[in-house]
Amino acid sequence: DAGVIQSPRHEVTEMGQEVTLRCKPISGHDYLFWYRQTMMRGLELLIYFNNNVPIDDSGMPEDRFSAKMPNASFSTLKIQPSEPRDSAVYFCASSLSLAGVNEQYFGPGTRLTVT
Amino acid sequence: DAKTTQPNSMESNEEEPVHLPCNHSTISGTDYIHWYRQLPSQGPEYVIHGLTSNVNNRMASLAIAEDRKSSTLILHRATLRDAAVYYCILRDVEPYNQGGKLIFGQGTELSVKP
């Protein structure tokens, strides 16, 4: 398996533009997670899905952020409109379950820069 | 809301053992102790996990105190590629409990000197 795939790896955009980050989880994994990492706040869980259904979006910073999972092999995280404070590395991860015995597999991340 | 406490940074020499401590005094009976690490410019990766007994795998060993209030990740021979931030995380064993989410603290930044 190729692991969790994220695209693009780097994104530079101007303030006010829409940004869409993409993720393909590992086949067969029922859970998909979106994280954000900044120097100030570290790694934060934004939202996670179980069987394509959003379960907990309490980490989504504000309404400008939205996430979808139209099928088991694809998810998007959208920021509209983007702001400079959204600059961060965004990671997608997947796992078989939420149980504490199952590890999460992370993608390489998308480095977003909003100017 | 951190449930674990780790030193901010540690140093090691190449090919020497490294002991990374973690305190989790409020651990519950259903919490697994997980360790992840994040190499520079990469996503976090799973290292090891355990419940009560010490655990070994190809990457590391995990020593868990008898009262489970602390644990130690052991890298038997550190290499330059082990330089990373190491995170100690508690996760509930039950899948229906959102305690199974990964909540990252600040971790320990390990540097390895040649």
Side-chain angles (χ1 to χ4, degrees), chain A residues 33 35 43 93-95 97-106, chain B residues 6 20 32-39 43-49 59 62 73 75 84-91 100-104 106-108:
Chain A
F33 307 82
Y35 293 84
L43 263 165
S94 69
S95 71
S97 83
L98 202 57
V101 297
N102 291 123
E103 60 189 275
Q104 287 187 20
Y105 296 82
F106 285 76
Chain B
Q6 299 177 251
L20 297 163
Y32 272 84
I33 302 159
H34 279 247
W35 284 82
Y36 281 71
R37 73 178 184 180
Q38 187 173 20
L39 303 172
E45 65 174 349
Y46 167 82
V47 177
I48 199 167
H49 77 271
M59 291 180 70
L62 177 60
L73 180 70
L75 307 179
V85 178
Y86 287 79
Y87 298 96
C88 170
I89 303 167
L90 301 183
R91 296 184 66 199
K101 295 188 294 187
L102 277 179
I103 308 297
F104 288 85
Q106 292 305 305
T108 296

Side-chain angles (χ1 to χ4, degrees), chain A residues 78-95:
Chain A
K78 186 176 294 186
I79 308 173
Q80 166 63 21
S82 58
E83 296 182 4
R85 60 193 168 120
D86 301 330
S87 297
V89 180
Y90 292 81
F91 291 103
C92 177
S94 69
S95 71

Side-chain angles (χ1 to χ4, degrees), chain B residues 19-67:
Chain B
H19 291 235
L20 297 163
C22 181
N23 289 319
H24 28 79
S25 58
T26 60
I27 191 170
S28 74
T30 55
D31 281 336
Y32 272 84
I33 302 159
H34 279 247
W35 284 82
Y36 281 71
R37 73 178 184 180
Q38 187 173 20
L39 303 172
S41 300
Q42 294 189 27
E45 65 174 349
Y46 167 82
V47 177
I48 199 167
H49 77 271
L51 185 62
T52 57
S53 304
N54 295 344
V55 184
N56 300 296
N57 67 20
R58 63 175 180 82
M59 291 180 70
S61 295
L62 177 60
I64 302 173
E66 196 168 334
D67 63 5

